[in-house]
Amino acid sequence: MTKKVLLILTVGLMTISVAKAQETYFGRNKVQFGRFSWEYIQSRHFDVYYYANEYGTAKFAASVLESAYVVISDQLNYRIHTRIPIFIYNSPNDFQQTNIVPDLIEEGVGGFTEAFKNRIAIPFDGST
């Protein structure tokens, strides 16, 4: 009898948690206006992804990332062993369309890291 009660309680809690998760996003869809044709450049430690003829932005980002990596790796005495993908969106509006994470991205978010695939996504706001 206790196994049956435990099973019913577990199923009930799972149902409540799924319903609660759906309540948060009900009626809120992540709108994607278009497809991005991604290209990338490689620096020593990073793959910098860009689109829409923003090679200059990607080249600048790769340079800044490598410079920052040298300083941070020396300070923390840590070296990365795999290339880190960096996705640069041309604007905050494009960034909010990302499908790297399924969650809705609120306005004003300046980027995020996605831990499972070890990648970074950031919007370019026009300021270097």
Side-chain angles (χ1 to χ4, degrees):
M1 186 68 174
T2 58
K3 287 183 182 180
K4 193 173 193 180
V5 170
L6 184 60
L7 178 64
I8 292 171
L9 185 60
T10 302
V11 170
L13 288 175
M14 287 175 31
T15 304
I16 291 170
S17 65
V18 168
K20 193 70 169 163
Q22 288 177 349
E23 175 185 305
T24 304
Y25 293 109
F26 180 75
R28 298 175 68 190
N29 296 322
K30 185 181 282 193
V31 178
Q32 294 180 328
F33 297 104
R35 293 188 168 274
F36 302 125
S37 179
W38 291 98
E39 298 179 40
Y40 72 98
I41 61 172
Q42 292 183 324
S43 65
R44 185 168 180 196
H45 299 99
F46 302 96
D47 292 332
V48 181
Y49 289 82
Y50 66 97
Y51 61 95
N53 299 324
E54 289 294 332
Y55 176 78
T57 303
K59 190 82 169 156
F60 174 76
S63 172
V64 170
L65 286 163
E66 287 296 339
S67 297
Y69 172 74
V70 168
V71 172
I72 291 171
S73 65
D74 287 343
Q75 289 177 351
L76 299 178
N77 195 26
Y78 180 78
R79 307 292 180 256
I80 58 174
H81 303 290
T82 59
R83 306 177 73 73
I84 298 176
I86 312 290
F87 292 84
I88 300 177
Y89 288 85
N90 292 352
S91 70
N93 288 336
D94 287 353
F95 176 65
Q96 289 179 335
Q97 299 177 49
T98 186
N99 60 2
I100 291 176
V101 293
D103 301 332
L104 294 174
I105 298 174
E106 298 296 326
E107 194 173 324
V109 172
F112 62 83
T113 58
E114 196 265 330
F116 294 114
K117 293 188 179 177
N118 196 30
R119 56 190 174 176
I120 299 170
I122 56 174
F124 179 63
D125 64 0
S127 174
T128 56

